[in-house]
Amino acid sequence: MTENAAPASVFRDTAFLRLWTGTTASGLAMWALPFVLGLGVLERSITAVELGVVLSTRTIGFLAAVPVAGVLADRHPRRAVVFWSCLTAGIATPLIAVGMGRSLLLMAVAATVVGAGQGACRPAFQALVAEVVPEQNRQQANAATTLAVRVTTLVAPSLTALASLVADARTLLAVTAVAWLCAALVPPRGTGGPIATKTRAGLVREFADGISEARRHPWMLAGLAALTAVIATGYSATAVLLPVVSRDRYGTEAVLAAATTAHTLGALAGAVLIARWRPRSAGWAALTGLACYGLIPVGLLLPVHPVVLVAAYAVAGIGIELFNVPWFTAIQREVEPSKLARVSSLDFLLSYGLAPIGLALIAPAVGLAGASTVLVVCAAVCLAAPAAAALVPSSRRFSTR
């Protein structure tokens, strides 16, 4: 049984519209950077090795900044953290262009700073939603935000390719810097935020307090463990093996393109659906959506028609947003406001921070055990982890109330 009544569009709220615009601008800048640098490789402004170094250092900066930013966004106004983190990324981005063809060290350092800005703004943006948007509208607000992210991932490559017809990589990097400045300046001030105190513990102690807050919510620990398992195994395996299956089984790269596009389109559909759907057992519905990712390794394992594989990616895309939106909404509702950014940073750090480790381990695992064994294990993890999380009593509604 579901609750179908939904509030009026959040886009009628000017404050949320400004927040959504800033979040979208930061997402566009974040997703465009790899494609712009790839264009630099085609232009021979940088080498493929330099591209790998720059993207790796950006990831390092992101992971290093996320936990620190969570603490800072709970110490200081979230709007200020968004401003300084996005401004930092915007200032550092042109330095990558300056270093192209001249200094790999400069590019690497600048990319690290850009990554730190990206990592710092994520938990602050998440916490700012809880300040700007009333509780009854947050699910719709989170759906609108994730919809913008999915559209960005879909159009960023095409926009970059079109822009390359009239501008080089250095110019496009300047455009992404402008997007970062938009993300810094446009969002509104929050109406709540951290409560000022005369004394503060150290960064490590305050981050540990955020971990303690997460531990107060058994559904959160269970859901985070399930999400981390799915991303570290299923996502990583399919990212490595889909190109191989597309080439060896189907003899064409069209399956690769169709499957990845179907996943994004499915995610768009999922975001639209969950913007107004209010399942009573929201946690169970979300975990069921997360488990749908197990269809992908199953499709890669079995000799199915390519349409079936593409459909599996579409269903998984729908499912991941049926999880993401209620998940973010529940965290914003259940977590103590003064610790919300720290808990959000823990979420980002574990779920997405472990993804590069999974990607690095999948290829050796395939070499040792074979692709079929790896896909069986990944499918089992993707199905079993959400099922195990659903057994935690408070997971039914993602609430300890």
Side-chain angles (χ1 to χ4, degrees), residues 33-377:
L33 182 61
F35 300 109
V36 173
L37 293 177
L39 176 62
V41 174
L42 296 178
E43 295 174 350
R44 300 186 186 280
S45 300
I46 61 174
T47 66
V49 173
E50 290 174 331
L51 172 63
V53 170
V54 171
L55 293 181
S56 297
T57 54
R58 184 183 73 151
T59 301
I60 292 171
F62 180 94
L63 296 177
V66 164
V68 176
V71 174
L72 294 179
D74 281 339
R75 283 184 176 183
H76 307 287
R78 277 74 184 253
R79 177 64 184 82
V81 175
V82 166
F83 173 79
W84 289 109
S85 58
C86 292
L87 181 64
T88 299
I91 293 174
T93 297
L95 297 179
I96 300 177
V98 173
M100 293 176 70
R102 298 183 180 90
S103 171
L104 176 59
L105 177 60
L106 176 59
M107 286 195 299
V109 172
T112 303
V113 176
V114 171
Q118 293 174 359
C121 73
R122 299 333 299 174
F125 268 126
Q126 283 293 325
L128 196 55
V129 171
E131 296 183 23
V132 171
V133 182
E135 182 177 329
Q136 68 271 19
N137 292 346
R138 286 177 195 160
Q139 182 161 319
Q140 190 182 114
N142 287 318
T145 300
T146 196
L147 187 67
V149 171
R150 294 299 180 178
V151 170
T152 298
T153 61
L154 187 65
V155 304
S158 300
L159 289 178
T160 303
L162 290 174
S164 68
L165 299 177
V166 296
D168 59 13
R170 290 185 175 87
T171 302
L172 294 179
L173 283 173
V175 173
T176 63
V178 173
W180 277 119
L181 293 179
C182 175
L185 297 173
V186 171
R189 294 182 181 274
T191 56
I195 300 173
T197 59
K198 295 181 178 180
T199 60
R200 290 286 186 183
L203 288 173
V204 175
R205 176 61 182 275
E206 290 196 44
F207 186 73
D209 288 342
I211 297 176
S212 298
E213 172 64 19
R215 292 174 61 187
R216 288 201 314 111
H217 307 279
W219 62 268
M220 187 181 301
L221 296 182
L224 185 55
L227 177 61
T228 301
V230 169
I231 291 178
T233 58
Y235 173 81
S236 299
T238 57
V240 172
L241 293 175
L242 175 61
V244 177
V245 171
S246 180
R247 180 196 63 197
D248 295 347
R249 181 190 299 170
Y250 302 109
T252 175
E253 295 179 353
V255 176
L256 169 62
T260 54
T261 302
H263 185 269
T264 302
L265 292 176
L268 289 172
V272 172
L273 172 61
I274 200 61
R276 292 191 172 273
W277 183 38
R278 300 293 190 272
R280 291 193 180 276
S281 299
W284 284 359
L287 291 168
T288 300
L290 181 62
C292 288
Y293 206 93
L295 297 175
I296 294 181
V298 171
L300 293 172
L301 177 65
L302 301 177
V304 297
H305 191 277
V307 173
V308 176
L309 180 60
V310 171
Y313 269 84
V315 173
I318 294 172
I320 196 64
E321 293 309 334
L322 294 184
F323 174 85
N324 279 339
V325 173
W327 175 254
F328 290 139
T329 304
I331 290 176
Q332 292 160 353
R333 180 187 67 242
E334 298 287 321
V335 171
E336 183 181 333
S338 64
K339 299 178 181 178
L340 179 54
R342 278 170 282 180
V343 173
S344 296
S345 69
L346 178 65
D347 178 14
F348 286 118
L349 187 64
L350 291 181
S351 59
Y352 295 99
L354 293 180
I357 298 176
L359 287 169
L361 295 178
I362 288 299
V366 170
L368 290 174
S372 297
T373 301
V374 170
L375 287 172
V376 168
V377 171

Side-chain angles (χ1 to χ4, degrees), residues 18-35:
R18 291 175 58 187
L19 177 60
W20 180 86
T21 302
T23 305
T24 302
S26 70
L28 181 61
M30 180 174 65
W31 285 104
L33 182 61
F35 300 109

